[in-house]
Amino acid sequence: MKHFLKVTDLTNDEINEVFKLAAQYKRERAATPKTLAGQSWGMLFYKNSTRTRVSFEVGLHELGAHPLILSASNTQISRGESVADTAKVLSRYLHGMVIRCYEHELLEQFAEHGTMPIINALSDYSHPCQILTDIFTAAEKYADGDNYLASVQGRKIAFLGDTNCNMANSWLLAGAHLGIDIALGGPQELAPGQAVIDDLASQGKPLTDQFTTDPLKAAKDADVVYTDVWVSMGAEEEKESRLKLLQPYQVNADVMAAAKPDALFMHCLPAHLGEEVSEDVYNSPASIVFDEAENRLHVQKAILTVLTA
């Protein structure tokens, strides 16, 4: 049994297989094999969701599984049942679970006490389904044939904004794991956290990123410029101070001009135009944000297939 709690949980060969399957599922969506036929999967949400919920629910259906939507408030978790007991009970009914939560430790507890695959659909530490989708989406633009992973290895990804968030962590993990150059541009107050540095060290992976407080230096000669929302769910009370702190790191025409002439703009959505990205960049030909959104469906179906093979 295998879990997918962070991008390093899959080997490079498994990730390349995910990409090949995602491309196949995208080309031949109506012919998706029912690799999860007869199975029931739980989807437990502690946070609201649009792309994650819909893409996983549709994906599980297309793979032949029955998805059950759960929340902390409509289960006994809200009345104090432990995560360990919940994981043990649900493992008697379900074939796997997709969980979107705050604390990453909750996912680890489900994985430890349950007897079914657990997929991280976002935690405060990591967003592995999104990062694999992002890498696949960029690879679609570069790949010649079906060697998707090789087409992005050695390329430079510039991440601007809060470089101590789950998406920045995910890029750091992916960069070290897959051989992608990562440049982080953000305020010193939001520099990469020690947890992700320790995580990479514990796996024997070198920290290969470059952090700078200069957004143009981070974006210089980048193949992809990436940003994320500045005020995440649960951090609304910090909105005013975060907008002021992060304003110099908006992805705008000046930032894109520092990147390669054919650089792509990416964002995991939802976007706040005029904050982390200017409207002209968001709506430019360089922007592939809706390709990313669509590919959540195809990549997650491929993850489910590889994880349960």
Side-chain angles (χ1 to χ4, degrees), residues 214-277:
D214 183 342
L216 297 183
K217 183 178 178 181
K220 182 175 173 55
D221 297 328
D223 294 284
V224 174
V225 179
Y226 196 106
T227 191
D228 189 8
V229 65
W230 287 345
V231 184
S232 299
M233 282 182 283
E236 288 80 3
E237 71 279 5
E238 303 172 9
K239 180 177 180 179
E240 188 174 343
S241 61
R242 289 179 68 86
L243 293 185
K244 184 177 180 181
L245 180 65
L246 288 163
Q247 195 280 328
Y249 300 94
Q250 181 192 75
V251 177
N252 52 35
D254 290 340
V255 168
M256 294 302 294
K260 289 182 177 176
D262 59 349
L264 304 170
F265 169 72
M266 302 181 75
H267 190 307
C268 52
L269 304 182
H272 292 244
L273 304 190
E275 293 181 11
E276 71 272 11
V277 57

Side-chain angles (χ1 to χ4, degrees), residues 94-166:
L94 302 172
H95 296 85
M97 281 196 73
V98 174
I99 302 175
R100 182 179 174 92
C101 62
Y102 291 92
E103 297 87 3
H104 191 77
E105 291 74 16
L106 182 139
L107 290 160
E108 294 174 330
Q109 290 179 50
F110 262 98
E112 177 184 355
H113 297 286
T115 55
M116 57 186 166
I118 303 297
I119 294 178
N120 178 2
L122 181 143
S123 71
D124 284 350
Y125 178 64
S126 177
H127 200 355
C129 295
Q130 181 69 56
I131 204 70
L132 278 195
T133 299
D134 294 335
I135 295 169
F136 173 73
T137 305
E140 278 187 313
K141 311 301 177 185
Y142 301 128
D144 181 13
D146 60 0
N147 201 346
Y148 293 94
L149 183 54
S151 73
V152 294
Q153 288 174 320
R155 291 189 181 269
K156 179 179 178 180
I157 311 294
F159 182 99
L160 298 188
D162 179 357
T163 60
N164 189 16
C165 70
N166 53 8

Side-chain angles (χ1 to χ4, degrees), residues 59-104:
L60 284 163
H61 170 73
E62 292 185 358
L63 290 168
H66 174 59
L68 293 92
I69 309 298
L70 306 167
S71 72
S73 62
N74 67 15
T75 64
Q76 294 295 341
I77 293 173
S78 64
R79 297 182 65 240
E81 185 169 43
S82 70
V83 171
D85 281 1
T86 302
K88 290 173 184 173
V89 170
L90 292 181
S91 293
R92 303 294 180 105
Y93 308 139
L94 302 172
H95 296 85
M97 281 196 73
V98 174
I99 302 175
R100 182 179 174 92
C101 62
Y102 291 92
E103 297 87 3
H104 191 77

